[in-house]
């Protein structure tokens, strides 16, 4: 279904580019009965002479189809299936690595290595729309509805314990921007810039599951006879608010290609909640042994310092191929650096038959240093100046 939606949107933009181009004022025919007069009359004050070199704003040079010369830009972010990432992750996608360590292994966790990976799995593409208000200011909106992603975390312990967590979530998010710009990726003659501030919100809900396996250990050719397994499931929810600084530049290289760079720094805060249960059987008593029953139901406090909060910095660069003056195909790469903290939480946690506050559970967030990490990948999209 998602591929059909993307195909229809792409076909619409291509057809709009083919049949919706404005006429080039430089190619207009002269009237046949034009009088010959050597004296030159000054052009009207509200028009710019053809071929003039003035610095006035020109619709044709900006790629805008509106007579008033103001830009209206629609951009669709796609997903490159062959890449590990479909584009910079949303804040909610990054927070998928958060979980209670006790719900993953039970008891006191003992870890050797942990690998985490988030992959987009569908949903409506991210839409960016920019509406220029004057020569120097614009307002824009970025929205994504039904964005789906899967986060898998594999943990290996020093006692032959292997655990796989899987989080499948759906996110709805939006952001409004206002500032100097907008960034015109289809610019033809001049360098285009953008600097704006943004405010947005995102809501995420999804399923949590895990599977753990303890294999017997071997020493001096003999087995220690200890083994076990665990199965868990749960529900995960976020409610996040963001403030951002967005900036970028687009530079014409040839008539058919532009280079661009853009980035943003986002500060976020909000609430995070997780309810999970796990059943386990274990013949050993080593560190991280699976308990018969583990249960967690916690919710973080709200606020920038008390709740789930942090910041992320994203840098993206690439090229825009322009088969038409007002239509481009964008492709590039990105790097994203993130730091976040779960903050204070409250709620019950049952582990090994004992009931404690979730806030006292050690290693509440991800079991390794995923609180501070970077990810990278590719990004593709379509750009149309309306």
């Amino acid at each position: 279904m998602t591929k059909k939606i993307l195909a229809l949107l792409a076909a619409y933009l291509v057809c709009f580019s083919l049949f919706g181009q404005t006429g080039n004022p430089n190619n207009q025919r002269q009237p046949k009965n034009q009088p010959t007069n050597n004296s030159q009359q000054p052009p009207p004050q509200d028009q710019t002479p053809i071929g003039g070199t003035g610095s006035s704003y020109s619709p044709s040079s900006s790629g805008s189809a509106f007579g008033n010369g103001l830009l209206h830009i629609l951009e669709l972010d796609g997903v490159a299936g062959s890449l590990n990432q479909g584009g910079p992750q949303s804040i909610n996608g990054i927070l998928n690595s958060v979980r209670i360590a006790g719900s993953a292994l039970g008891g006191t966790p003992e870890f050797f290595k942990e690998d985490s990976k988030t992959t987009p799995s569908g949903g409506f593409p991210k839409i960016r729309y920019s509406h220029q208000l004057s020569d120097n200011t614009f307002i824009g909106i970025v929205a994504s509805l039904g964005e789906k992603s899967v986060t898998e975390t594999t943990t290996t312990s020093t006692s032959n314990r292997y655990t796989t967590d899987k989080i499948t979530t759906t996110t709805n998010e939006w952001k409004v921007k206002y500032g100097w710009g907008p960034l015109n990726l289809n610019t033809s003659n001049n360098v285009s810039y953008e600097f704006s501030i943004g405010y947005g919100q995102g809501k995420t809900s999804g399923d949590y599951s895990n599977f753990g396996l303890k294999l017997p250990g071997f020493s001096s050719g003999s087995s220690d006879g200890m083994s076990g397994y665990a199965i868990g499931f749960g529900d995960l929810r976020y409610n996040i608010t963001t403030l951002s600084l967005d900036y970028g530049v687009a530079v014409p290289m040839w008539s058919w290609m532009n280079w661009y760079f853009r980035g943003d720094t986002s500060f976020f805060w909000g609430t995070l909640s997780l309810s999970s249960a796990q059943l386990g059987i274990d013949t050993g008593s080593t560190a991280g042994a699976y308990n018969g029953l583990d249960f967690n139901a916690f919710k973080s406090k709200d606020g920038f310092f008390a709740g789930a909060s942090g910041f992320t910095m994203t840098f993206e660069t690439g090229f825009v191929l322009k088969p038409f003056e007002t239509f481009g195909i964008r492709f590039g790469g990105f790097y994203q650096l993130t730091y976040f903290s779960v903050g204070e939480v409250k709620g019950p946690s049952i582990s090994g038959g004992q009931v404690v506050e979730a806030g006292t559970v050690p290693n509440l967030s991800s079991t390794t240093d995923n609180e501070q990490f970077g990810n990278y990948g590719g990004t593709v999209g379509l750009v149309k100046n309306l």
Side-chain angles (χ1 to χ4, degrees), residues 26-48:
N26 294 328
N27 293 329
Q28 293 178 356
R29 295 183 178 181
Q30 298 294 333
K32 294 182 179 180
N33 298 326
Q34 182 179 7
T36 57
N37 190 349
N38 294 332
S39 62
Q40 297 183 356
Q41 297 180 354
Q45 294 181 358
D46 60 347
Q47 295 182 3
T48 301

Side-chain angles (χ1 to χ4, degrees), residues 23 88 171 221 322 342 353:
T171 300
K322 301 194 303 176
V342 175

